[in-house]
Amino acid sequence: EPALPVFSQAEVSKHGSLEAGVWVTFRGGVYDIGEFVAMHPGGTRSCWRREGPWSPSGRLCELEMDPEDQARQRAVEPSDPYSGDPQRHPVLRVNSAKPFNAEPPPSLLGDSYITPSAIFFKRNHLPVPRVDPASYRLRVEGLPRPLSLSLADLKGRFPKHTVTATLQCAGNRRSEMNAVKQVKGLNWGIAAIGNATWSGALLRDVLREGGWGPEAAAVAGGGARHVQFEGLDADASGTTYGASIPLNKALSEEGDVLLAYQMNGEDLPADHGYPLRVVVPGTVGARNVKWLGKVIVSREESASHWQQNDYKGFSPGTDWDTVDFKSAPAIQELPVQSAITQPADGAVLERDADGEVTVRGYAWSGGGREVVRVDVSLDGGKTWQVARLREGDGEGEEQGEAPPPPPPPGRAWAWKLWEVGAPLPPGEQQVEIVCKAVDNSYNMQPDSVAPIWNLRGVLSNAWHRVRVTVRE
Ligand code: MTE
Ligand code: MO
């Protein structure tokens, strides 16, 4: 094979526009994703399905990044705790650079049933820790037999379990709460959510290896109620990220809680917890601890700030002077959610021959509750149409193949993408498109934001509304 050319970082950074091409480095290669960024409707979709995020025509070549450049890059700000953070995909909308928090454009999110890892939202509270996979050990405590497991142990001693699950940040859609009244937190749009395939060992199997069983329950004083997780990411004082979930969720045969080492069929990316993270299907993002260092079975919830004094819901009447974080439970399962990913808010739609607009979006509910219906309105909520729910990735649908079987009851961990073709009202005008989802417990989204407003801007799940202009 011919030797691949080596590009300098300086050369790569010269390509940052659609005219010059948009070059990015990824896994030791340099890619031109200019076409991809342009987001031709339809074109990118099929391309993503077949090839992943990089357009085949946009692939420049596979090559090594100049090692000297990499070293130089790392040396830029040696005192900056974030200098070890990985490179990120340029289409991400950055909410905060340090720590890194970013979400993809909604249209891309709604384009693929499985969210490609590169554009999956990233929610970091701290610098990304660099973990050496060879010396890595997961410690498991609070059991008759404490464990210290290497990656090889986790991969070799426990059956590999794969789950497709949606992860959503408690602050998804916070910007809509901010529009009602200022809240504290990152100003997320509708894309702090994603759907991925996760693989790893079942937490349940690992706890059993540590001796969990009826006898162990007695040993633990009969009082163990929670499983705490500690991350390896730390602030300057050494405080690590932490959270906990109820023990019964971890132990349940139907809980599907994973110690995941893979995302979408590859090693976890650095931003998503390499080498190991917890995936708690149906449960708020905050409990899905990344860069997992320790698991502790305990009588108590995690004492971490993020379990005790954050990620809780309050009344719209509660303000920072009156809030008592002890008075509210930590968020675990999330409420029913849906949002419109296409058309974009503020879009101008030219009326085409059939005078229809295609509305697309996602819908999901926490706790394994399945979304059974999505209603869409083109007149601000006066009249409604039922959207078509796409099961799985919808791959076989065009060929008329049967849809995949529905998930077992109580284990609908993955979102559904939906779409509906709706007739546009006549004449030039402003149209308010609205969506709302219903889950199999008949939970529905509230119609407006004000009654669910809360000072941290969490649990924002009102009907989603986008305003578009229709032109002849
Ligand atoms: N785990 C660690 N160790 N550190 C973190 O900052 N953020 C949490 C959770 N796990 C976090 C973490 C939050 S609030 C969310 S929403 C999810 O990770 C985001 O996961 P993602 O970045 O893989 O999308
Ligand atoms: Mo989050």
Side-chain angles (χ1 to χ4, degrees):
E1 290 203 359
L4 292 166
V6 173
F7 288 102
S8 69
Q9 186 56 42
E11 188 65 21
V12 172
S13 25
K14 272 187 223 147
H15 296 80
S17 65
L18 285 181
E19 298 73 48
V22 181
W23 289 16
V24 294
T25 57
F26 185 74
R27 298 242 158 97
V30 176
Y31 299 84
D32 184 347
I33 57 159
E35 269 183 41
F36 164 71
V37 175
M39 286 183 259
H40 303 296
T44 50
R45 251 176 96 197
S46 42
C47 163
W48 274 58
R49 280 226 189 118
R50 271 182 277 115
E51 307 287 342
W54 318 108
S55 128
S57 55
R59 175 166 297 200
L60 209 55
C61 49
E62 318 249 8
L63 45 65
E64 287 300 313
M65 244 182 98
D66 188 336
E68 274 177 39
D69 269 333
Q70 285 186 322
R72 214 173 300 132
Q73 226 177 343
R74 269 197 297 273
V76 185
E77 287 175 276
S79 60
D80 179 357
Y82 292 94
S83 59
D85 270 24
Q87 286 197 315
R88 277 91 182 204
H89 199 292
V91 294
L92 291 170
R93 199 198 95 189
V94 178
N95 277 321
S96 128
K98 298 174 181 186
F100 191 75
N101 288 284
E103 63 187 301
S107 60
L108 278 187
L109 184 70
D111 256 3
S112 44
Y113 175 70
I114 296 293
T115 312
S117 307
I119 64 152
F120 199 99
F121 83 97
K122 291 152 209 328
R123 203 292 176 238
N124 300 340
H125 291 82
L126 297 160
V128 173
R130 290 283 162 144
V131 184
D132 170 20
S135 59
Y136 172 81
R137 294 291 180 279
L138 174 71
R139 292 184 207 292
V140 184
E141 299 175 359
L143 295 172
R145 281 193 299 279
L147 305 173
S148 171
L149 301 168
S150 68
L151 276 179
D153 293 335
L154 285 157
K155 293 176 181 174
R157 281 167 48 189
F158 306 93
K160 182 174 174 180
H161 194 78
T162 295
V163 176
T164 299
T166 294
L167 194 68
Q168 181 181 212
C169 182
N172 189 31
R173 301 182 59 195
R174 179 178 283 133
S175 55
E176 293 161 66
M177 283 201 174
N178 252 329
V180 169
K181 197 169 103 184
Q182 181 73 48
V183 299
K184 211 171 111 182
L186 296 161
N187 203 32
W188 294 110
I190 64 163
I193 185 170
N195 188 52
T197 294
W198 311 93
S199 305
L202 280 172
L203 175 58
R204 180 172 189 271
D205 290 344
V206 171
L207 296 182
R208 286 153 64 97
E209 171 90 357
W212 183 265
E215 333 75 56
V219 173
R225 288 275 186 284
H226 306 276
V227 184
Q228 304 179 0
F229 305 117
E230 278 180 27
L232 295 167
D233 48 336
D235 67 12
S237 75
T239 305
T240 54
Y241 185 84
S244 61
I245 60 167
L247 178 61
N248 58 2
K249 168 72 176 169
L251 290 175
S252 166
E253 258 180 285
E254 313 213 312
D256 293 316
V257 181
L258 291 183
L259 301 178
Y261 40 78
Q262 283 187 339
M263 176 181 191
N264 294 337
E266 295 184 327
D267 285 352
L268 286 178
D271 267 322
H272 297 288
Y274 182 82
L276 194 77
R277 83 174 301 169
V278 192
V279 172
V280 193
T283 293
V284 65
R287 315 297 169 221
N288 293 245
V289 175
K290 305 191 275 190
W291 313 291
L292 185 64
K294 213 187 256 185
V295 172
I296 309 161
V297 177
S298 171
R299 286 165 173 265
E300 315 292 340
E301 276 189 283
S302 165
S304 106
H305 166 82
W306 296 279
Q307 188 79 16
Q308 300 294 333
N309 296 319
D310 202 355
Y311 296 114
K312 295 185 173 188
F314 293 97
S315 161
T318 301
D319 61 25
W320 287 102
D321 294 328
T322 57
V323 66
D324 172 15
F325 271 92
K326 285 190 189 58
S327 70
I331 300 170
Q332 295 285 350
E333 295 180 355
L334 284 171
V336 61
Q337 177 69 288
S338 72
I340 298 161
T341 55
Q342 182 198 304
D345 193 33
V348 177
L349 306 178
E350 307 281 344
R351 187 187 308 281
D352 63 7
D354 55 9
E356 283 215 341
V357 59
T358 301
V359 184
R360 312 174 83 218
Y362 63 76
W364 179 77
S365 190
R369 288 174 290 274
E370 184 177 357
V371 166
V372 295
R373 203 184 76 225
V374 173
D375 300 322
V376 177
S377 169
L378 255 62
D379 52 14
K382 290 191 206 70
T383 61
W384 298 92
Q385 249 177 285
V386 177
R388 188 170 64 95
L389 303 177
R390 265 174 46 196
E391 305 289 338
D393 62 8
E395 269 309 337
E397 256 178 84
E398 283 104 54
Q399 287 81 45
E401 285 168 31
R411 291 163 90 179
W413 310 129
W415 69 10
K416 293 190 186 182
L417 298 182
W418 51 265
E419 82 178 40
V420 65
L424 285 167
E428 297 216 350
Q429 57 171 302
Q430 296 275 114
V431 170
E432 188 180 68
I433 309 177
V434 188
C435 77
K436 63 181 173 84
V438 184
D439 72 19
N440 64 351
S441 298
Y442 285 99
N443 292 309
M444 299 178 202
Q445 298 173 248
D447 65 347
S448 55
V449 181
I452 58 165
W453 184 96
N454 59 87
L455 75 182
R456 272 299 266 123
V458 292
L459 307 166
S460 184
N461 73 330
W463 298 359
H464 187 227
R465 300 163 191 268
V466 305
R467 286 150 195 98
V468 300
T469 304
V470 181
R471 273 214 209 117
E472 290 301 325

